[in-house]
Amino acid sequence: MQNKGLAKSNRQKIASGFDYKSFELPCDTGKGTALFVYKAWGKKANLICYFDVNGRKIKLSAWQRNDYGPEDSFGSLSNPVDRE
């Protein structure tokens, strides 16, 4: 199930039947090809994006208000860096 357009609210996400509980927050690093699956607003003004990375289901959060989000040596979601 891939949602297109605007991010869904938390209630819409639950009502849609999307299996969001099967996605994990990654605590490791690595490389892979990610397929964007779904996006929904979190409870803290954050955007939660769900991905399938080589069969592994992960979710990442990003906050726009203070430019906070996951970051590694390749940059953050708000300021990505080209890896090539």
Side-chain angles (χ1 to χ4, degrees), residues 7 9 19-20 23-25 28 33 37-41 43 46 49 54 66 72:
S9 70
D19 186 21
Y20 63 93
F23 288 76
E24 64 177 327
L25 287 169
D28 55 345
T33 302
V37 179
Y38 200 86
K39 63 183 175 283
W41 290 108
K43 296 179 182 179
N46 59 315
C49 296
N54 299 329
N66 60 1
D72 61 16

Side-chain angles (χ1 to χ4, degrees), residues 24-53:
E24 64 177 327
L25 287 169
C27 59
D28 55 345
T29 61
K31 294 182 179 183
T33 302
L35 173 66
F36 172 78
V37 179
Y38 200 86
K39 63 183 175 283
W41 290 108
K43 296 179 182 179
K44 305 282 184 181
N46 59 315
L47 184 64
I48 304 170
C49 296
Y50 298 84
F51 300 93
D52 183 314
V53 181

